[in-house]
């Protein structure tokens, strides 16, 4: 996308351009300057790939969201952003939605078993897969890679990758602060500053604090804050330019999350009856050291060494009710999961420059990747007056070699060949004195043929292969000795999954910038597909989850993103995705034959229709409609959501360096389900099975004031 930042740099502009103020789109600038406008347009580049290139020149379905794109729906969290994207969905089951699905593929929860993400998360090159993105405030950009990206990212990108980049250090002072007040007793205070310390040293720092009572009323406790939000995020960078050839960067992150978790209701609404509301806490710290060196002949060297430590506390009232709700039928359980995670990663890469090509027309990349991760779990469960504890530990190390070549076959045709070989080794132990060791060697890659029809249009064909590691079903092993659960002994482990993707895409733009379009059609074949299964032998409150391999699956469809300047004062954004997915041969533990059914959390239709309307020199109106069709909640049952449509509105007034915005998300107050289960949990109807759903946010409205300096 080609946009100005929400606060344009302080560049003297002609009078016609001043009418556009600081948040105008490229079309308005073009109307003022004609061909000279290019120097005032910020072109977004993909930072997560091997080379920084425009999204219009990279094969693959990639969306790059700028600050403007995230601001359009007044987004405060990743949940608010993902609804903009075609063929992207998410699941909550916690205080926030941190489990992402792309093209119908991705995990939906994490309890005892360690999840192996199909969609990974990187923040400033640090692996947050499984932890999610805590804050998007003042982010430089968010990149969304759809489809397998094994060559670049490895095992955590079988279905795609989210890559968030925080503010880069700038040797010119740049800063902004913003404050938000909203309903549900919500407020947010955030700020960003970047400046030079010396001629060689610069820094950037982003801080964000969010507080809200949440959207649940607990009538038993007479409280409205049992599902509250209380989050603090800090991200900083320190850049040292040793010379023109060498620069170092130190990156530091801190996250403190102390959210409540009381989301599911026996009455299947936003009113709960829990006497012991849970928590969703996270405390994490991360450091990374990066070096970029271009002093060698024909090759640039980049490496990054990172470390992350995270402790989480996730708990919930398992019965969703109180003692005395139905004597003789009721039960009282409380579940708590204490996790600790310690990891390090090293990514070491050689990238050819103009002098380091193989022959005259080939560029290349060669890299080495290593990581180690230790994951410890302590599950504390109270069942009535009985206390149960389960401890497990998993240590995983990964080693990988990867490479890619880009060969110009002619002035218009480029062939890209990439591959990655990765070996992982797991050592699992638990409190049942069980020890399991696993190791596998996996491979992925891509083959792409790109045809640059003109400077504004590219056509590509892409064949890529991704993979995801296998693992151990700790919950199945811990429950196999219980009455009715002996069949879980057959589910001790699960195998790696692989995916092959065939894709055809077109990317184009009008010379005057009035149209930018990207369209991709894809067909994906999944092998040894990992699905979430559940065993509930007597349909009561006791059940166990496990990960199973379900043979083959297919996912195919089309997605498009368009930006159309209909008038110098009005720009239209149209994103849409069509998706068809099928489960391969799979029969659940309860005997349900799921063969041929749609995969879980894979809506057949997703879309966003958004407009930016510049009403005057200072006033801008932005509106969007985001929707998705209904989808199945699980591969283990047939409960499904209804379709949803969300309307977002934002009215912005710009006054020099100040910006004031009045906004509303989900302005029509529509229900949107973000997680669902099907089982019996209500003693008042003798545990008859129902579809229980967690709802996304209701109508939100607020005001935001921002100041750029």
């Amino acid at each position: 996308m080609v946009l100005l930042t929400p606060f344009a740099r302080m560049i003297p502009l002609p009078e016609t351009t001043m009418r556009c103020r600081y948040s105008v789109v490229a079309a308005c600038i073009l109307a003022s300057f004609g061909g000279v406008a290019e120097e005032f347009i910020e072109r977004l580049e993909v930072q997560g790939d091997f080379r920084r290139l425009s999204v219009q020149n990279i094969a693959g379905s990639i969306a790059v969201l700028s600050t403007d794109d995230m601001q359009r729906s007044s987004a405060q969290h990743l949940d608010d952003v993902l609804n903009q994207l075609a063929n992207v969905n998410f699941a909550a089951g916690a205080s926030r939605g941190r489990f992402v699905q792309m093209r119908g593929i991705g995990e939906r929860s994490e309890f005892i078993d360690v999840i192996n993400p199909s969609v990974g998360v990187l923040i400033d090159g640090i692996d947050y897969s499984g932890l999610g993105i805590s804050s998007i405030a003042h982010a430089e950009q968010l990149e969304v890679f759809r489809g397998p990206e094994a060559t670049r990212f490895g095992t955590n990108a079988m279905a795609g990758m989210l890559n968030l980049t925080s503010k880069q250090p700038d040797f010119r002072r740049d800063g902004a602060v913003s404050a938000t007040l909203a309903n549900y007793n919500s407020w947010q205070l955030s700020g960003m500053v970047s400046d030079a310390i010396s001629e060689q040293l610069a820094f950037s720092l982003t801080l964000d604090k969010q507080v809200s009572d949440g959207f649940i009323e607990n009538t038993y406790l007479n409280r409205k804050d049992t599902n509250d939000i209380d989050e603090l995020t800090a991200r900083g960078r320190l850049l040292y330019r040793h010379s023109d050839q060498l620069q170092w960067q130190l990156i530091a992150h801190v996250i403190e999350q102390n959210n409540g978790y009381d989301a599911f209701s026996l009455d299947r609404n936003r009113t709960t009856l829990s006497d012991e509301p849970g928590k969703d806490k996270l405390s994490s710290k991360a450091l990374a050291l990066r070096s970029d060196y271009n002093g060698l002949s024909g090759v640039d060297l980049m490496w990054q060494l990172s470390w992350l430590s995270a402790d989480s506390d996730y708990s919930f009232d398992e019965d969703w009710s109180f003692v005395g709700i139905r004597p003789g039928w009721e039960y009282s359980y409380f579940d708590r999961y204490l996790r600790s995670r310690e990891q390090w990663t090293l990514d070491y890469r050689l990238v050819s420059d103009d002098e380091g090509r193989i022959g005259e027309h080939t560029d290349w990349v060669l890299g080495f990747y290593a990581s180690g991760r230790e994951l410890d779990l302590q599950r504390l469960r109270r069942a009535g007056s009985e206390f149960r504890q389960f401890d497990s530990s998993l240590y995983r190390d990964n080693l990988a070699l990867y490479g890619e070549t880009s060969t110009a076959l002619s002035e218009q045709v480029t062939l890209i060949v990439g591959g990655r070989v990765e070996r992982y080794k797991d050592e699992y132990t638990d409190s049942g004195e069980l020890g399991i060791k696993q190791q596998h060697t996996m491979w992925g890659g891509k083959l792409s043929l790109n045809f640059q029809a003109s400077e504004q249009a590219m056509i590509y064909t892409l064949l890529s292969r991704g993979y995801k590691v296998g693992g151990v079903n700790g919950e199945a092993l811990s429950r196999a000795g219980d009455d009715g659960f002996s069949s879980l002994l057959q589910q001790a482990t699960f195998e790696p999954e692989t995916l092959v993707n065939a894709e055809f895409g077109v990317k184009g733009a009008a010379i005057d910038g009035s149209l930018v379009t990207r369209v991709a059609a894809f067909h994906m074949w999944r092998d040894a597909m990992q699905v979430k299964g559940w065993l509930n032998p007597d349909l009561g409150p006791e059940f166990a989850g496990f990960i199973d391999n379900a043979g083959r699956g297919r996912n195919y469809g089309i997605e498009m993103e368009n930006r159309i300047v209909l008038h110098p004062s009005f720009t239209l954004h149209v994103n849409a995705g069509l998706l068809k997915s099928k489960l391969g041969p799979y029969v659940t533990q309860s005997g349900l034959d799921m063969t041929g059914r749609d995969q879980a959390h894979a809506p057949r239709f997703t879309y966003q229709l958004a407009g930016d309307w510049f009403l005057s020199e200072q006033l801008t109106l932005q509106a969007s409609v985001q929707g998705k069709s209904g989808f199945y909640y699980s591969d283990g049952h047939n409960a499904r959501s209804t379709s949803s449509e969300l309307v977002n509105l934002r009215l912005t007034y710009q006054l020099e360096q100040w910006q004031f915005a009045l906004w509303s998300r989900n302005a029509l107050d529509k229900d949107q389900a973000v997680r669902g289960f099907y089982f019996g949990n209500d003693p008042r109807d003798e545990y008859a099975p129902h579809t229980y759903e967690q709802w996304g946010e209701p109508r939100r409205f607020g005001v935001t004031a921002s100041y750029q300096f």
Side-chain angles (χ1 to χ4, degrees), residues 216-460:
I216 293 295
E217 180 179 1
N218 187 312
T219 55
Y220 178 76
L221 297 177
N222 194 27
R223 289 173 53 188
K224 295 183 178 181
D225 63 350
T226 53
N227 202 54
D228 64 327
I229 298 295
D230 185 358
E231 299 175 343
L232 174 66
T233 303
R235 299 188 182 112
R237 290 173 174 245
L238 188 64
L239 173 65
Y240 175 62
R241 289 182 177 172
H242 181 270
S243 65
D244 292 340
Q245 292 79 35
L246 177 63
Q247 69 177 28
W248 298 84
Q249 195 164 165
L250 180 65
I251 302 168
H253 298 166
V254 175
I255 299 172
E256 293 294 335
Q257 172 183 300
N258 186 22
N259 297 345
Y261 180 45
D262 183 28
F264 283 92
S265 165
L266 289 181
D267 295 320
R268 304 189 290 283
N269 53 25
R270 297 182 189 273
T271 302
T272 63
L273 300 170
S274 310
D275 57 357
E276 299 176 283
K279 283 289 187 181
D280 186 13
K281 296 182 178 181
L282 174 66
S283 178
S284 76
K285 302 175 287 294
L287 289 172
L289 181 64
R290 173 176 174 137
S291 173
D292 292 90
Y293 181 63
N294 59 9
L296 300 176
S297 177
V299 63
D300 297 335
L301 168 65
M302 188 287 293
W303 61 264
Q304 178 166 311
L305 177 65
S306 66
W307 165 84
L308 180 144
S309 177
D311 295 299
S312 64
D313 183 350
Y314 172 75
S315 61
F316 54 92
D317 189 335
E318 195 171 326
D319 53 274
W320 304 344
S321 61
F322 56 91
V323 175
I325 188 173
R326 178 75 187 275
W329 282 91
E330 68 191 29
Y331 73 102
S332 178
Y333 288 5
F334 187 79
D335 217 354
R336 186 180 185 189
Y337 300 81
L338 300 171
R339 277 188 166 85
S340 65
R341 170 171 163 179
E342 196 93 12
Q343 72 179 40
W344 63 268
T345 60
L346 172 64
D347 195 355
Y348 191 97
R349 187 182 314 151
L350 298 171
V351 181
S352 69
D353 61 21
D354 289 341
E355 298 177 1
R357 295 177 175 176
I358 303 173
E360 187 177 353
H361 304 289
T362 300
D363 294 319
W364 56 272
V365 175
L366 181 63
F368 168 77
Y369 174 87
S371 70
R373 178 178 300 183
E374 185 172 1
L375 303 164
D376 296 315
L377 166 69
Q378 183 180 61
R379 184 194 188 189
L380 304 172
R381 189 181 189 221
R382 180 185 58 75
S385 59
E386 179 185 356
F387 289 86
R388 306 173 185 174
Q389 180 172 331
F390 175 79
D391 301 323
S392 69
S393 180
L394 176 69
Y395 183 80
R396 172 174 294 161
D397 61 52
N398 294 64
L399 293 174
L401 287 174
Y402 60 86
E404 183 178 282
T405 61
S406 177
T407 304
L409 302 181
S410 69
E411 290 185 359
Q412 294 178 298
V413 180
T414 303
L415 175 66
I416 298 175
V417 180
R420 187 183 189 106
V421 177
E422 184 164 356
R423 183 172 182 82
Y424 80 93
K425 181 170 63 176
D426 284 355
E427 294 184 10
Y428 171 87
T429 58
D430 63 28
S431 53
E433 298 184 354
L434 183 69
I436 296 178
K437 294 183 179 181
Q438 286 186 311
Q439 59 183 18
H440 288 276
T441 299
M442 303 169 294
W443 66 273
K446 69 177 181 180
L447 179 66
S448 167
L449 193 64
N450 304 344
F451 175 65
Q452 197 73 43
S454 67
E455 291 184 6
Q456 289 77 39
M458 185 186 81
I459 301 171
Y460 70 88

Side-chain angles (χ1 to χ4, degrees), residues 541-563:
E542 290 288 346
F543 56 90
F546 57 91
I547 299 175
D548 198 3
N549 294 100
R552 293 180 171 85
R554 285 197 298 161
N555 303 61
Y556 52 93
I558 189 170
E559 53 216 10
M560 68 173 184
E561 296 170 337
N562 302 278
R563 181 177 61 81

Side-chain angles (χ1 to χ4, degrees), residues 85 89 96 113 174 361 384 397 404 410 415 447 474 495 531 568 603 606 636 644 651 653 696 701:
L85 301 164
N89 200 8
R96 296 286 204 184
D113 305 323
D174 186 17
H361 304 289
D397 61 52
E404 183 178 282
S410 69
L415 175 66
L447 179 66
E495 295 301 307
V531 297
T606 53
S644 62
L651 185 65
Y653 180 78
F701 56 85

